[in-house]
Amino acid sequence: MTSKSTPNPIMGYSDRSTVKLDFDDVPLKKVKKWVIRAYVWFDLDGFIVIFSSEDHYHAVFNRSVTWSENIQIMNWVAIESQLPTLKEYALMQGIKGPSTLRWGLRVRKSCRESWED
């Protein structure tokens, strides 16, 4: 690293037993719809939706699942929602193994939408 380098650390969380969905370029209203549908359909005990940046959200569900069930849930949401970036995310998680969510430092706008909208 030189004195002119700008550090840009990226952190991530990977495992096989936590259902995680990465919604890129998706409005919060659609994220809410698909997170709640997955939560109800697969009895996932609870969830959190994390604002990453404008129209970028992470969803993490509470119930531990097998890897096979994790893949099933990710793919069900991706296919049913027809969201191209979610389809790519689900496919890549199945190819590489444990599902991963990554985040880093960046300038962020605040999330102006509320969950109740």
Side-chain angles (χ1 to χ4, degrees):
M1 184 161 25
T2 68
S3 62
K4 293 182 182 187
S5 296
T6 304
N8 187 16
I10 296 175
M11 299 190 53
Y13 173 68
S14 296
D15 78 347
R16 292 177 173 266
S17 63
T18 305
V19 178
K20 299 176 281 302
L21 299 172
D22 191 358
F23 292 93
D24 284 341
D25 299 317
V26 181
L28 182 58
K29 187 173 183 173
K30 271 191 182 177
V31 172
K32 289 188 265 188
K33 172 185 176 178
W34 291 106
V35 167
I36 291 169
R37 283 195 65 191
Y39 163 75
V40 170
W41 190 261
F42 294 101
D43 192 25
L44 292 171
D45 285 349
F47 59 86
I48 186 169
V49 174
I50 303 160
F51 172 72
S52 174
S53 61
E54 191 170 352
D55 287 340
H56 290 70
Y57 301 89
H58 299 307
V60 181
F61 295 88
N62 197 39
R63 182 170 64 85
S64 289
V65 297
T66 65
W67 179 239
S68 176
E69 190 176 14
N70 200 336
I71 292 290
Q72 176 189 9
I73 294 166
M74 286 189 290
N75 282 296
W76 181 86
V77 178
I79 290 168
E80 288 290 315
S81 69
Q82 293 297 302
L83 296 169
T85 57
L86 189 56
K87 283 183 180 181
E88 289 175 22
Y89 171 78
L91 284 170
M92 284 308 300
Q93 303 321 295
I95 289 168
K96 70 175 195 55
S99 60
T100 303
L101 286 178
R102 291 182 182 86
W103 62 92
L105 300 174
R106 60 176 107 146
V107 177
R108 299 175 190 217
K109 294 181 181 179
S110 64
C111 181
R112 290 180 180 85
E113 295 182 69
S114 75
W115 185 256
E116 288 76 30
D117 289 340

